[in-house]
Amino acid sequence: MTTFQADSSVCKVSTLTSEKQETANSVESPVIYLPGTDCAIKSQASLSAYTSYRVGGAAQLYIAPRNIEAMQAGLKYAKERDISVTILGAGSNLLVSDRGITGLVIATRHLRYSHFDPETGQLTVAAGESIPNLAWQAADLGWEGLEWAVGIPGTVGGAVVMNAGAHNSCTADMLVSAQVLSPDGTLETLTPAELGYSYRTSLLQGSDRIVTQATFQLRPGADPAKVIAATKEHKQHRLTTQPYNFPSCGSVFRNPKPYSAGWLIEQTGLKGFQIGGAQVAQLHANFIVNRGGAKASDIFCLIRHIQQQVQDRWSISLEPEVKMLGEFQLAC
């Protein structure tokens, strides 16, 4: 049995005094806590540091729970105050508006736990675990099945929701079950069939249910050197075919079969096209990179420009894979 457990000393349910549950005075400003926890609620927290694009405005309210109980407390807090809830994972497939996000933003990146069960070959992990890190951990143990995921720049929660994939493999292929948290605080375990998987999507997209944990079926017992070599090969392929030298969100558009979005964009002559600090990547046209100083509005307008140009040239409507949060209507 191999278990990886993150430090849970922050944002955990505790027996705090009633005074600390609401505020704790400091020299600079009072700190507000979720009632019944020591999970701090940040006001007007900048989200640019929490997205791979390094752009975006502030969250009206922001929390980063480290366990289910604190997550439930956050949902209760929002419900009692009738404020909206937005879930934020690694922020790697996300574009946050320059105007920020109203309501409560709940970050799941600190939900950390992983357990490799050698008897069943199953890996059970919390939503905040990094997909690439898990791929390397599995490789070190000689467990096959996650080699393809080493270049996926996200967390387990996001991978389950969007059916993340690469190299002709995807999350749905190996998912056994996913634990989700409903707005009323109840937990439910769903099978892949119940999640309604298809290409880069599931029934959880657009849903108000939150992935908290997932179990994957892997294949233990292989030579670790062999699995590590295969994982390195997949990683190298990503590094040589996709731009990692500037901030990006990964692939911007879904592939409109039988074409690839990158090929359509490149053939439209848009490689290198730039709006503000946002540019269509030279290495891979289905990537938009932040060349420095880009605003979310620059990226949004470039997405719309690409869509219009491809539509005009090929009569094909490109569907964004990147999720957009906040107001963008007047961006262009």
Side-chain angles (χ1 to χ4, degrees), residues 36-330:
T37 80
D38 64 356
C39 187
I41 305 174
K42 297 181 181 179
S43 177
Q44 295 302 314
S46 174
L47 294 175
S48 61
Y50 301 124
T51 69
S52 58
Y53 260 134
R54 297 295 182 260
V55 300
Q60 182 181 1
L61 297 171
Y62 173 92
I63 61 171
R66 291 183 181 264
N67 54 44
I68 301 298
E69 292 81 5
M71 289 279 290
Q72 292 169 321
L75 292 174
K76 182 180 179 181
Y77 180 91
K79 182 177 181 180
E80 290 175 348
R81 290 156 181 79
D82 193 27
I83 57 178
S84 61
V85 172
T86 300
I87 303 303
L88 179 67
S92 58
N93 193 43
L94 191 66
L95 180 62
V96 174
S97 165
D98 296 316
R99 299 185 180 188
I101 301 175
T102 58
L104 176 65
V105 172
I106 302 179
T108 61
R109 64 179 62 211
H110 295 310
L111 293 178
R112 300 287 184 88
Y113 171 84
S114 61
H115 171 60
F116 292 78
D117 186 343
E119 294 185 5
T120 63
Q122 292 185 352
L123 165 62
T124 298
V125 288
E129 287 288 346
S130 161
I131 292 292
N133 287 350
L134 289 172
W136 286 119
Q137 290 173 14
D140 287 340
L141 292 171
W143 286 43
E144 296 176 309
L146 275 179
E147 298 91 325
W148 61 272
V150 70
I152 302 295
T155 58
V156 168
V160 170
V161 170
M162 69 168 289
N163 192 18
H167 306 290
N168 298 315
S169 296
C170 64
T171 304
D173 294 338
M174 58 194 59
L175 184 72
V176 176
S177 64
Q179 184 187 75
V180 298
L181 179 64
S182 296
D184 63 3
T186 59
L187 289 168
E188 183 181 7
T189 299
L190 302 176
T191 65
E194 291 170 320
L195 292 170
Y197 276 124
S198 58
Y199 175 66
R200 298 296 181 268
T201 190
S202 74
L203 294 179
L204 291 173
Q205 282 200 327
S207 166
D208 54 8
R209 291 178 293 180
I210 307 166
V211 176
T212 58
Q213 180 179 283
T215 298
F216 301 101
Q217 184 65 57
L218 302 181
R219 301 183 300 276
D223 180 0
K226 174 187 173 183
V227 187
I228 290 172
T231 304
K232 286 182 177 179
E233 184 177 346
H234 284 304
K235 179 64 174 180
Q236 186 58 35
H237 175 77
R238 302 279 286 199
L239 290 174
T240 56
T241 60
Q242 299 179 3
Y244 282 88
N245 52 333
F246 293 106
S248 79
C249 75
S251 296
V252 176
F253 300 101
R254 291 183 169 90
N255 290 319
K257 295 181 179 180
Y259 304 100
S260 75
W263 184 86
L264 289 169
I265 298 167
E266 181 175 354
Q267 295 304 308
T268 308
L270 291 174
K271 265 193 174 182
F273 185 84
Q274 190 162 335
I275 294 179
Q279 183 188 61
V280 178
Q282 295 281 4
L283 186 59
H284 194 310
N286 197 19
F287 280 63
I288 292 176
V289 295
N290 180 355
R291 294 278 302 186
K295 296 180 180 179
S297 58
D298 296 334
I299 298 169
F300 176 83
C301 290
L302 186 50
I303 289 173
R304 290 292 180 257
H305 180 77
I306 293 169
Q307 288 177 308
Q308 186 62 57
Q309 293 297 307
V310 170
Q311 178 68 42
D312 291 347
R313 171 77 181 274
W314 304 94
S315 297
I316 294 175
S317 178
L318 288 180
E319 181 183 358
E321 188 171 309
V322 58
K323 183 178 181 181
M324 303 178 199
L325 295 179
E327 297 182 11
F328 290 95
Q329 290 87 341
L330 302 178

